[in-house]
Amino acid sequence: MEARGGDRHWWWLLGALAAIGFALRLAGAQGALWLDEAWSAVLAHDAGTPLGIFLNINHDNNHHLNSLWMQFVGFGAPPPLVRALSIVTGTAGILVAGLIGKRRSPALGLITATLFALSPLLVTLGSEARGYAPMTLALLTAILLTDRWLAGEAERSPATALALCFFLGALSQLTLFFGFCALAGWVFFALWKRSTLRQALIDSLRLLLPSAIAMAAVAGIVLGAAAASKTGFQFGRYDPFDWLQYLHAIVEMLGYALGIPVVSVWWLAFAPILVVLAAGAGVSRLAFHRLAIIGFPVALAVLQSGNVGHPRYYLLAGIALLILVAEMIWRGWGMNGWKRGLAGVAFGAIVIGSLIQDVDLIQNQRGDPGGAIRALQARAPGGTSVILDRSTGLAMLQVAAAQDRYKLDIIENRPCGPSRFLFIDRFKGETMPGASIRCGKRYAPIARAYARGLSGTHWTLYELQP
């Protein structure tokens, strides 16, 4: 009876953590869609039908399940509704993370759930209309199923369930391919410790061949549709491999995963050192952590992959790091002396740092392009036109205007207008002009926002001066 009562309390605590995570994600989902989200919304709208999402978009900004959801709720739906798929799957991921930790200890389950509920990396991705939160849920579910199977606790092979996880996860975000590789390596090395090399290969194939087929099916859908189109597969932007961008993105991801977004080279040493220390501390799933946290980024560097300057690209490493850190904290707390104190300080620092960054996201709302529409409404309630400085601002204004039911004529490729208003957007690191001179006419800023955190775009709205 006491065990049942304790288990009931544990579930209540896990539910409370999930509720906190849900509230943070919902609060972070209030502002208008930023560039990538808005672009996805426009693509989904223009695709026309669900089949069109699979056949007609052929773009790296098309996260298929997310695009289907956007098309279902409709163009111009309220931002929290557009982001609901990510909010729900991100919250469900907290529950699954808790169950992963609970396999070692109920306390570890709650520690793991806490880190997943509060991590600014996951709160950000779980409150924006992209495919990363559904992908995270799929990967966490696959980790839980695999962990149970390797421990001999599964009544039957989870091969089919894993294939479904990887199929849906890959339709959410194709970077799940890296997660599949890390999980497959974990399975193989775990089985190899128990038997011969040949038997480990056979058993790994039996478990993961359906998942490999599922991943190949998704790749076939994407590549087949691209091959049949006139344009082929398109990238919104493709940057060749750059060491500085690569290292900066990894550092930023690690910092936001643990709530301490300090851009420092020490993060590059911290993660590998933690993985090395984990072996001596008795941490489980070591092969998965080594492959996800170290092997995956190293492989990208060896392959000289493009577009490595985005922190979200390394989400797999962030997920693995959170699971690893949670177990290190739990094991440290179970010891005496300075190790117990260090575990308590680390947990407290992560919780406080994460909450500070989460509050900043909620206040900043990724720069909230809806502020430009509200400023236009105040000055021209019946509708107006605006000159666009460059094409990156088009989707943001289109979606924000549709969400506020505001009549807005957007003028492209004509720097002089004619229009009373001018909209300029910039990425991180780019400068924003204090005033703009267009064909002898002076435009002064009347509203602006600077995005902070992992996502968002800086923008300024200008008005023509007499």
Side-chain angles (χ1 to χ4, degrees):
M1 292 292 290
E2 290 182 6
R4 289 183 181 178
D7 197 52
R8 190 183 306 115
H9 291 320
W10 184 88
W11 278 103
W12 275 107
L13 290 172
L14 179 63
L17 290 171
I20 293 171
F22 173 80
L24 289 172
R25 286 155 176 79
L26 182 61
Q30 299 303 310
L33 308 191
W34 72 284
L35 174 61
D36 285 4
E37 296 176 292
W39 198 352
S40 296
V42 171
L43 290 173
H45 173 71
D46 292 346
T49 65
L51 186 61
I53 286 173
F54 290 91
L55 298 180
N56 299 335
I57 297 181
N58 302 312
H59 198 285
D60 70 326
N61 206 37
N62 177 26
H63 302 172
H64 292 76
L65 293 188
N66 180 65
S67 296
L68 287 170
W69 175 255
M70 285 180 150
Q71 195 177 81
F72 174 75
V73 299
F75 191 75
L81 181 60
V82 179
R83 293 162 168 155
L85 177 63
S86 291
I87 296 170
V88 171
T89 54
T91 303
I94 300 168
L95 300 173
V96 178
L99 292 175
I100 291 172
K102 188 176 186 286
R103 293 191 39 71
R104 303 296 182 268
S105 159
L108 175 55
L110 295 177
I111 294 172
T112 308
T114 299
L115 298 191
F116 273 77
L118 303 182
S119 170
L121 173 67
L122 299 183
V123 171
T124 298
L125 298 178
S127 60
E128 62 185 38
R130 308 280 281 147
Y132 295 100
M135 186 203 78
T136 299
L137 176 60
L139 178 59
L140 289 173
T141 304
I143 292 171
L144 179 61
L145 292 171
T146 302
D147 204 25
R148 292 184 58 216
W149 182 78
L150 287 173
E153 298 174 8
E155 296 180 1
R156 64 188 70 180
S157 171
T160 303
L162 285 173
L164 182 61
C165 286
F166 283 108
F167 182 75
L168 294 176
L171 283 177
S172 300
Q173 229 296 323
L174 286 173
T175 52
L176 184 61
F177 171 79
F178 304 126
F180 172 77
C181 292
L183 187 137
W186 167 35
V187 170
F188 168 71
F189 286 116
L191 294 177
W192 193 10
K193 282 186 177 181
R194 306 174 188 177
S195 60
T196 64
L197 174 62
R198 180 176 180 274
Q199 190 60 47
L201 286 170
I202 292 173
D203 291 343
S204 297
L205 281 173
R206 284 175 179 168
L207 178 70
L208 296 172
L209 183 58
S211 296
I213 293 172
M215 295 286 290
V218 175
I221 292 170
V222 174
L223 296 177
S229 71
K230 295 180 180 179
T231 59
F233 192 80
Q234 296 178 297
F235 290 90
R237 177 175 175 177
Y238 184 83
D239 297 318
F241 183 86
D242 180 86
W243 278 106
L244 209 57
Q245 291 182 6
Y246 165 78
L247 296 174
H248 188 276
I250 293 175
V251 166
E252 198 169 8
M253 180 280 300
L254 293 172
Y256 273 98
L258 297 178
I260 310 172
V262 178
V263 179
S264 170
V265 70
W266 290 108
W267 277 118
L268 299 174
F270 169 77
I273 290 172
L274 197 65
V275 173
V276 171
L277 293 176
V283 169
S284 54
R285 311 177 195 91
L286 274 176
F288 176 76
H289 294 313
R290 287 166 176 164
L291 290 168
I293 299 173
I294 300 177
F296 161 47
V298 169
L300 293 180
V302 171
L303 295 171
Q304 296 285 287
S305 177
N307 282 354
V308 294
H310 305 293
R312 57 185 176 271
Y313 200 54
Y314 306 90
L315 178 57
L316 165 64
I319 292 169
L321 181 67
L322 288 169
I323 296 173
L324 173 63
V325 168
E327 188 165 353
M328 292 284 284
I329 289 172
W330 170 67
R331 291 186 179 277
W333 187 254
M335 299 178 182
N336 295 319
W338 67 270
K339 292 182 178 179
R340 184 184 181 94
L342 180 61
V345 170
F347 183 67
I350 292 172
V351 168
I352 294 172
S354 295
L355 285 172
I356 290 173
Q357 296 307 314
D358 293 340
V359 170
D360 187 56
L361 167 69
I362 293 167
Q363 293 175 338
N364 181 253
Q365 294 294 335
R366 302 169 183 83
D368 186 12
I373 302 300
R374 291 189 291 273
L376 290 172
Q377 287 176 318
R379 288 163 174 79
T384 188
S385 63
V386 61
I387 304 169
L388 202 62
D389 178 62
R390 61 187 186 187
S391 61
T392 48
L394 177 61
M396 289 190 295
L397 289 181
Q398 285 179 326
V399 175
Q403 287 173 337
D404 278 356
R405 305 294 186 267
Y406 183 68
K407 184 179 178 181
L408 181 65
D409 179 27
I410 302 172
I411 303 172
E412 295 184 85
N413 304 318
R414 282 185 286 166
C416 297
S419 177
R420 174 182 165 190
F421 300 101
L422 166 69
F423 182 85
I424 295 180
D425 67 287
R426 293 290 183 265
F427 298 121
K428 293 179 181 178
E430 295 180 324
T431 57
M432 186 78 69
S436 181
I437 306 298
R438 301 289 170 118
C439 303
K441 299 176 181 178
R442 182 176 183 274
Y443 288 83
I446 56 173
R448 66 175 50 173
Y450 288 86
R452 299 189 297 270
L454 288 170
S455 303
T457 310
H458 309 322
W459 60 266
T460 302
L461 181 68
Y462 300 78
E463 186 175 16
L464 179 65
Q465 299 301 297

